Structures are given as C-alpha cells and as structure tokens.
Amino acid sequence: MVYPFSAVVGMDDMRLALLLNAVSPAVGGVLVRGEKGTAKSTAVRALAAVLPPVAVVAGCRFGCDPAAPDPACPDGPHPADGPGAQRPARLVELPVGASEDRLVGSLDIERALTEGVKSFEPGLLAGAHRGVLYVDEVNLLHDHLVDLLLDAAALGRAYVEREGVSVQHAARFLLVGTMNPEEGELRPQLLDRFGLTVEVAAPREPGLRAEVVRRRFAADADPTGFEARWADEERELADRIAAARELLPRVELGDAALDQVTAVCAAFGVDGLRADIVTARAAIAHAAWCGRDQVIEDDVRVAARLALPHRRRRNPFDAPGLDEDTLEQALDDARPEPDGDPDPDDTPPEGGGSPEDGGPQDGSHQDGSPQDGGRPQDDASSGDTREPTTAPRGDAADPDAPRTEAAPAPEQPAVAPDQAFRARRLEVPGTGAGVAGRRSKARSERGRVVGSTRPAGAVTRLHLVDTVVAAAPHQRERGRTGPGLRLERGDLRQAELEGREGNLVLFVLDASGSMGSRTRVAAVKGAVLSLLTDAYQRRDKVGLVTFRGEGAELALPPTWSVEAAAARLTDLPTGGRSPIAAGLLRAHETLRVERVRDPRRRPLLVVVTDGRATGARGTDHLAQAHRAAGLLQAAGTASVVVDCESGFVQLGLAQVLGAHLGGQVLRMEELGALVQDMKDAA
C-alpha cells in the first residue's frame, strides 16, 4: 500500500514544495532536510500517486511522448502518429549504493566489439523520464553519481559514452532528495542545484502526534479501507495539479513581481542568478496552484522562503535559514508606489505591514497553507562573550591535598574558535581501495588510467590499447584476412583507474590546561575547525576524541556529520591535566571497532597537542603515552601530530610523540594550504 498524500499530517512546507514541483518540474526539484522519522520518504512516495498519467509511445523503454518523440531515442525513430498508451507517473528510487552503469545505463561492450552490435540497457534515468526520481539519503550518495544525476536534471538528457560508442536519451524528471543533516551535508555547489529546500521536524503538539499514530495504525490495520477513505481527497488533489499544469503557461510574471524577485535575491546576497530564476519559476507555479493567472506579492514571498534558505549559506557549517525581517523589507522596497503622494502616516512599520495592507501576521499563505518562518540567528555564531572565570590553581586550593608533578590548570569555559582558513591536504600514504572521495590515492571507479587487468565479470571500462595488444599476436591463427581485428573474450582488458578516496579522519584533541591561554585555545580550535572544513569538502568520515583531567572521551563517534563535530568543538571546555596515553588508547579502540564496521575506509589519525603528559606523582606519563603511540603504529595507523606548543621555552615533546606514532609532525602554523603551496613552489 502507498500511503495517501492527503493523509500526511502537517508538514505543510514539504507538501507545498512537492506540489509546486509537480505543477512545474522546471522549478528544479526539492531537497527535504529533517530528522529521522518525519515522514519524508512517505510523502515523496505518495506524491507519484496524485500525478497525472503520462502518455507514452507504445513499446518505448524510454517513455517518449507520442506527441513529441525524442529524435535521438535509442528505441526510435518513432513516427509522429504512432500508437500511444497511457501509464501512471513513475516513482523511481535511486539506491545510495548504486553504480554509475545502474544510473545512466550500460552498453554491452563485449557484443559491440566482437559482434558489432550496439546493445544498450537503460538505467534509472530512463525509467524516471517524465516521472519522479527519488534519492533517499542523497547526502550519502557518491559524488560522481550526484554529478551525473544533477547534470541530467539540468540538461534534461542522459549521456552514456564508452570508447567511441555513444548513446543519449531524454531524461526530464522531478528530482526529490531527502537527507538527515546529522549524517552529513551536501556540498554547497550541489545543494544549489536543488530548486527548493525545506526543513521538516516532528510536530511538538501532542494532539498532532496522536493523529499521526492514529492514521498509521488505521493504515496498517486496513490498508484497502484506509485508501478508500482518502480516495476523494486524492482525486481532488490530482485534479487540482492537472488544472494548475494547464493554467501554468498562461500565468504572467509582471514587471512589479519580477522586481520583487530580484530585490529579494539581491537582499540575501545569493551567488549567481540561479536563485532569481528558480524563485521566479516557483512564484509562477504557486500562482497557478492558487488558480491565478497573475503573480502577486504573496507568490514571491512563498517562493523566496522555499528557494533561498539554502542559497545564502556562507560556509559549510552555517545552517540554512531566512531572516523574515530582511525578506519583508526587500519586498516592501520593491513594492510599486501607489499613484499620488503617499501619506507618511500610512507607512507600514519596518519588517512587515498591517493586516489592512497585506502584511504577514501569522505566516500563512493566501490559500491557507501555513508557512514556516525563517530561523532565528544563532547567537553562538558571534563568539563567546563571557568573561573569563578565575579559580585557585592546583595545590593552593587545598594545602592538604597530595602534591602532583604538575598542578592542573582550572577548567575554563568553552572558547569560540578563531576564523577558519583553507587547510592543506593531509593524506594516508600508499594506495587504497576505499569509497570515492577527495583525500588519499586509491583504486576507484573514476580517475586516471594506470593499468589494466583481465575482467572477472562483465567489462565496464575497456582498456582499448591493451585489448588490441592482447589480440594482435593471434590474428593469423584466427584466420584474419581483412582489415578488421578479430577479438575474443580472453582479449578484453578492464582499465584500472587511480583516483581519490574518502578516509576516516579521527581527531584526538588535547583539551588540558597546558594548551595555554584563551587566545591560544581559540587558535587551536580554529585550526581544528579548518581541518574539519577540509574533511567536509573531501567527503571524509570524522570522529573526535578529547582528553583532559583524569581520562579521555569519545566526544563524537565516527560520523559523516562534520557539523556535529564542529558543534562539539565549539562547546568544548578546557583545563586540567594532560592524559595523552588515555586519549591515544581511546583512539586505538575506536579505530579497531571502525575497521570491523567499515574495513575499506582507511583511517587518518590527527593528534592536536603540545606533547606534555601530566598526572599523579609516581607515574611516567610520557612513557605511557609513547607505548600507546607504539600500539597505533603497530596497527598501521597513518597519523599526523599538530604541534601546538608555544612560548619562549619549547621542549619539542610533540616531535617525540610523532616519532613514536611513525607519523608526520606539523606546527600549527604549517596547516595552511598557502604555506604548503609556497613550499612546493620553492
């Protein structure tokens, strides 16, 4: 059973965004962001049931429109007056682990070379043509698949190239992606390719939550009866979508409305002009959805709330959002002046108008659907403004307490990181075979050709030169008499590609009092934040271990959510002793578990410390730290030590720790990519 779209409780922004794209697929699709268990997938799967049926050429695997068949269709050419048929709009789901051939389709290269037959097997893009392509957990999709997917969505065509054999076909679809931000973000340039984005969360009102549970139980108990109960609403919704599609070409975007669109986009400082185009298309679709043939201010307001939040981000860790005051001010500034001199007493207050002049009061659309306002600005982003606290140091607080080798510094409140910078690329030595990414060298599905092998199964990436070389010595015994080359299955060679992989970057951060002043701590956090930003851009998995006081803590288990790591870093207090051994042992155990869970992903350990190990008297803490480092080296863990030592007297303890880890040692000032570029140039 497909849960009825009309039966979804709440989620008004998500439903409206999906419906606007159903009316006008040119809007560019929807990205639905939200916590788990918020009916994201349920709503998307339910959408296809209310879309109008599609007329297709009979027998065409690519869903060509009989009124305008694709002249380049691999199943064509189709006669303009050929037989047609109707089928429901399709919902095609793209699995996260799909291959490139599964997405765009594949050529049978063996038949093409040995038999001269161009045999093409359509992929998911062909099946989604004139329907819905749904990607659940789109943030976990491999980058090369996302690139192919979004290129097809932008161009409306899919291309398959294999060693001189080329196939293309139409691929116009409604692209819908869902994701949980806790599991990692999309790259900003990919995020911008989605037309609209919405944030969803479970309702907090007990009554709404109870209604969700009630409907779910009713659907599970009697699927047929539940569908029949909502059949009328589903038909009305389908009819309204069809009517809006018919009205859409006649909707006029006047100069006044266009001025408001561009004024709003300029007010939020979005990059490029895609935001203006998407906002205008969404406003036109909303007008058609409301049954109007003219775009009005409310259409622009609704479109801006859906099209701009994810386009005004300035760094990877900023949450999408839209300031309502800025939106209303931009609309007001672009609003045409009425005829005659305006009365100063009638000027609406800044940030919105009164009910008489159409200003928003409760955040609702004209058609009655509520609209979520912009997110409030996060005060924490402006930095920590609290005054530093004072506390007695070490033994002075309690004269009777046992003395230690080094008196621990008092715990300090969390300090905001300094400004992030572009970090140099830290790599795992050697060549891996992990998942696609942008950090360390690896055998992968994309990259430069470095060799060839005999294929164990079907050939997907032919190494043409090596194939010819393998077949050439056997041409006489195979009876070749003409100019053609006689090939057999054993001659085929599969190309080996070398690209980049994503790694598990595990940070081990010294949060003890030896890290120094609040200024120094802020600089260290800024450096780690820069490395986190670099990990985000290189599609790495990240984790965070901190140590201070009496032990170590796994502050963030390995995850794709670099945002969560950045938040933990910002809120991290400092102070106390420096149990480096405990931190390294916790890292060793964390990596051991991750090797079992994700054996293909190679780890990179980044230890941020000044190398000083302190604790109770009578224990050789440096020796313990060095033994723990030896365990990590013996396990083959690639590591980098970031030396944070400062001051006139420097002991070089981080250098010694790096030697025991068998890794690279960098000063904090050497983390910048500009420094590395200058060294390479020299």
Side-chain angles (χ1 to χ4, degrees), residues 203-355:
R204 297 296 178 252
E205 299 84 353
L208 285 179
R209 298 174 76 96
E211 183 61 22
V212 172
V213 176
R214 190 177 297 113
R215 293 186 185 183
R216 184 72 261 178
F217 280 9
D220 293 341
D222 183 10
T224 304
F226 190 79
E227 284 187 277
R229 173 185 167 189
W230 292 94
D232 292 340
E233 287 82 351
E234 293 287 274
R235 279 193 296 271
E236 291 176 5
L237 189 59
D239 292 343
R240 186 176 177 183
I241 293 174
R245 283 187 174 185
E246 185 176 349
L247 177 62
L248 185 69
R250 302 195 300 273
V251 176
E252 180 181 353
L253 177 67
D255 290 341
L258 180 58
D259 289 343
Q260 287 188 314
V261 168
T262 56
V264 167
C265 293
F268 285 105
V270 297
D271 296 328
L273 294 173
R274 182 177 287 124
D276 304 66
I277 297 172
V278 171
T279 304
R281 287 173 174 168
I284 294 172
H286 188 261
W289 173 249
C290 296
R292 293 188 296 268
D293 59 4
Q294 184 81 25
V295 175
I296 63 174
E297 181 175 311
D298 187 64
D299 300 321
V300 178
R301 180 181 292 107
V302 171
R305 285 171 174 159
L306 296 174
L308 299 184
H310 61 301
R311 291 189 165 88
R312 61 180 302 270
R313 303 174 66 185
R314 285 296 174 262
N315 67 69
F317 303 138
D318 286 343
L322 207 64
D323 182 66
E324 282 292 309
D325 290 340
T326 304
L327 173 60
E328 294 301 330
Q329 185 63 51
L331 291 172
D332 184 64
D333 291 343
R335 188 178 297 131
E337 293 289 344
D339 296 336
D341 296 330
D343 186 350
D345 295 336
D346 293 339
T347 303
E350 183 178 357
S354 63

Side-chain angles (χ1 to χ4, degrees), residues 33-244:
R33 298 162 41 94
E35 58 195 22
K36 52 187 175 292
T38 50
K40 301 187 297 294
S41 300
T42 299
V44 174
R45 293 188 177 100
L47 177 67
V50 296
L51 293 178
V54 177
V56 297
V57 173
C60 178
R61 297 174 298 167
F62 300 86
C64 283
D65 185 352
D70 179 14
C73 177
D75 284 356
H78 302 299
D81 56 350
Q86 275 202 342
R87 62 166 171 79
R90 288 177 178 170
L91 173 71
V92 176
E93 296 193 40
L94 173 60
V96 170
S99 66
E100 181 177 336
D101 290 340
R102 183 74 184 97
L103 176 62
V104 299
S106 61
L107 291 169
D108 191 333
I109 300 177
E110 184 175 344
R111 291 191 63 194
L113 292 177
T114 59
E115 302 177 25
V117 177
K118 186 170 69 174
S119 176
F120 179 72
E121 183 67 25
L124 297 176
L125 292 180
H129 179 47
R130 303 174 69 201
V132 180
L133 182 62
Y134 172 45
V135 188
D136 193 14
E137 306 295 351
V138 66
N139 51 325
L140 303 182
L141 200 64
H142 290 174
D143 282 353
H144 69 284
L145 293 183
V146 176
D147 293 338
L148 290 170
L149 177 65
L150 295 179
D151 283 344
L155 299 175
R157 301 197 70 80
Y159 295 87
V160 184
E161 304 287 344
R162 291 291 188 276
E163 282 73 31
V165 183
S166 176
V167 172
Q168 60 171 291
H169 62 84
R172 293 183 298 275
F173 46 83
L174 168 56
L175 176 62
V176 181
T178 58
M179 58 175 284
N180 182 352
E182 295 177 356
E183 297 174 345
E185 281 283 1
L186 282 175
R187 300 199 313 268
Q189 60 268 39
L190 300 183
L191 188 63
D192 183 61
R193 298 294 291 272
F194 281 94
L196 310 180
T197 186
V198 291
E199 296 278 337
V200 296
R204 297 296 178 252
E205 299 84 353
L208 285 179
R209 298 174 76 96
E211 183 61 22
V212 172
V213 176
R214 190 177 297 113
R215 293 186 185 183
R216 184 72 261 178
F217 280 9
D220 293 341
D222 183 10
T224 304
F226 190 79
E227 284 187 277
R229 173 185 167 189
W230 292 94
D232 292 340
E233 287 82 351
E234 293 287 274
R235 279 193 296 271
E236 291 176 5
L237 189 59
D239 292 343
R240 186 176 177 183
I241 293 174

Side-chain angles (χ1 to χ4, degrees), residues 510-532:
D510 188 344
S512 67
S514 67
M515 296 296 286
S517 64
R518 288 169 60 87
T519 302
R520 187 64 176 174
V521 171
V524 171
K525 286 187 175 183
V528 177
L529 182 63
S530 303
L531 294 173
L532 282 171

Side-chain angles (χ1 to χ4, degrees), residues 478-612:
R478 293 175 185 173
R480 171 188 166 189
T481 57
L485 188 68
R486 293 196 172 185
L487 294 174
E488 294 182 358
R489 166 69 183 171
D491 301 327
L492 300 179
R493 295 294 183 269
Q494 177 86 4
E496 282 192 336
L497 306 181
E498 183 178 273
R500 294 279 175 180
E501 67 177 358
N503 299 110
L504 165 59
V505 182
L506 182 63
F507 293 91
V508 179
L509 179 59
D510 188 344
S512 67
S514 67
M515 296 296 286
S517 64
R518 288 169 60 87
T519 302
R520 187 64 176 174
V521 171
V524 171
K525 286 187 175 183
V528 177
L529 182 63
S530 303
L531 294 173
L532 282 171
T533 304
D534 182 68
Y536 165 83
Q537 294 167 342
R538 300 191 188 282
R539 310 301 287 171
D540 292 320
K541 205 174 179 180
V542 298
L544 178 63
V545 172
T546 62
F547 61 90
R548 66 187 184 95
E550 301 300 327
E553 174 191 6
L554 181 59
L556 183 72
T559 176
W560 282 275
S561 180
V562 181
E563 293 77 10
R568 301 289 175 87
L569 175 69
T570 301
D571 297 336
L572 180 68
T574 59
R577 300 184 177 90
S578 303
I580 296 180
L584 295 179
L585 290 174
R586 178 58 64 91
H588 181 270
E589 176 62 18
T590 301
L591 294 178
R592 185 190 66 80
V593 173
E594 283 300 309
R595 285 190 183 97
V596 176
R597 292 177 176 171
D598 194 356
R600 294 181 59 200
R601 190 178 294 271
R602 295 190 295 165
L604 175 63
L605 185 70
V606 180
V607 184
V608 185
T609 181
D610 57 6
R612 299 181 182 181

